[in-house]
């Protein structure tokens, strides 16, 4: 138990030198490596116990990822991520771990092989809680280094349009649509109508440059990042 508090509970053992904590973590990994795959289940259960108390514990997630890469145990990891997200869909650490699994697990075939099913899963999460930034970021990550796929997948603009049409919690739908536009997406009139229906933009601006109109809306509705959207607008080309 002392290993748990020293390794993963900085508030209780805040006076312990960071170098000592590092040595404890290093030693635990050294022992696990010597034990090999016999230690896999024990180490995964060890981190699972910690994460059941503190689901965002960085050190526990780091150790869990090390275990998976060094000792294996990938078979049930996607299900584990799913169970965490079922408990708390806002758990950004679980979204990060899910991405880690689908991109690195030797049993899933890689990002491209998992993309279609993951897009479906993520879109459902977005529609249920469109104000949750984590699945929006996850969705973008599914098209890492594949701008063409990102722009041409009809599910991406479709989920944006669905959220915009609901006229609430649409900040991330707007920022995602803006990203699509900046990468070559050609919006239909339906998108202009949906944005116009929000009642926060100049109709003439919608006709001339939809991306600039979106930035102007985001300046108002995403006030904590107003300066960023103002800067972003200043960098946009005249025709988008």
């Amino acid at each position: 138990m002392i290993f748990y508090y020293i390794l993963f509970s900085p508030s209780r053992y805040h006076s312990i030198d960071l170098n000592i904590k590092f040595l404890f973590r290093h030693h635990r990994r050294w022992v696990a490596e010597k034990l090999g795959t016999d230690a896999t289940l024990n180490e995964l259960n060890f981190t699972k116990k910690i994460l059941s108390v503190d689901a965002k514990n960085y050190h526990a997630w780091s150790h869990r990822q090390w275990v998976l890469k060094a000792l294996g145990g990938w078979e049930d990891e996607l299900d584990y991520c799913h169970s965490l997200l079922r408990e708390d869909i806002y758990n950004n650490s679980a979204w990060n771990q899910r991405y880690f699994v689908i991109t690195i697990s030797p049993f899933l075939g890689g990002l491209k092989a998992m993309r279609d099913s993951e897009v479906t899963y993520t879109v459902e999460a977005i529609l249920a809680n469109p104000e949750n930034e984590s699945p929006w970021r996850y969705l973008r990550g599914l098209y890492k280094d594949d701008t063409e796929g990102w722009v041409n997948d009809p599910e991406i603009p479709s989920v944006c349009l669905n959220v915009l049409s609901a006229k609430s919690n649409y900040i991330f739908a707007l920022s995602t649509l803006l990203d699509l536009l900046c990468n070559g997406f050609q919006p239909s009139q339906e998108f202009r109508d949906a944005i116009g229906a929000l009642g926060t933009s100049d109709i003439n601006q919608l006709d001339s440059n939809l991306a600039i109109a979106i930035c102007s809306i985001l300046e108002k509705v995403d006030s904590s990042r107003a300066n960023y959207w103002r800067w972003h607008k200043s960098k946009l080309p005249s025709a988008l």
Side-chain angles (χ1 to χ4, degrees), residues 130-226:
E131 76 285 359
N132 182 5
E133 186 173 10
S134 294
W136 288 102
R137 288 186 174 275
Y138 187 84
L139 186 64
R140 186 63 179 96
L142 294 175
Y143 293 88
K144 182 181 179 182
D145 301 324
D146 186 7
T147 301
E148 184 178 354
W150 170 245
V151 171
N152 291 327
D153 187 337
E155 287 203 66
I156 312 305
S158 177
V159 70
C160 293
L161 186 59
N162 283 336
V163 174
L164 290 170
S165 298
K167 300 182 184 179
S168 64
N169 299 316
Y170 52 74
I171 287 175
F172 301 120
L174 280 176
S175 61
T176 299
L177 179 56
L178 178 62
D179 185 43
L180 288 169
L181 291 169
C182 290
N183 283 290
F185 175 68
Q186 299 298 314
S188 65
Q189 185 61 41
E190 197 172 8
F191 286 90
R192 297 181 187 276
D193 292 342
I195 293 172
L198 298 178
T200 56
S201 57
D202 187 318
I203 194 66
N204 294 323
Q205 199 174 53
L206 286 175
D207 291 335
S208 62
N209 192 314
L210 188 59
I212 287 178
I214 290 174
C215 284
S216 296
I217 296 171
L218 286 168
E219 280 184 59
K220 299 175 184 177
V221 299
D222 189 16
S223 57
S224 64
R225 291 184 283 192

Side-chain angles (χ1 to χ4, degrees), residues 32-103:
E33 281 184 319
K34 294 300 180 183
L35 292 172
T37 54
D38 290 341
T40 303
L41 184 59
N42 181 65
E43 292 303 293
L44 291 177
N45 286 336
F46 173 67
T47 57
K48 185 180 291 187
K49 184 179 293 185
I50 296 164
L51 294 168
S52 69
V53 177
D54 180 6
K56 299 180 180 180
N57 189 299
Y58 170 80
H59 299 294
W61 281 116
S62 177
H63 186 66
R64 189 175 185 88
Q65 290 185 358
W66 174 84
V67 171
L68 290 167
K69 289 192 289 187
L71 305 176
W74 295 96
E75 293 84 352
D76 299 320
E77 193 65 12
L78 191 60
D79 288 339
Y80 175 58
C81 295
H82 182 61
S83 68
L84 290 177
L85 290 171
R86 193 165 54 239
E87 293 172 10
D88 179 12
I89 199 64
Y90 292 87
N91 185 344
N92 188 56
S93 297
W95 281 105
N96 287 339
Q97 182 71 358
R98 188 180 184 98
Y99 190 80
F100 172 80
V101 173
I102 67 164
T103 55

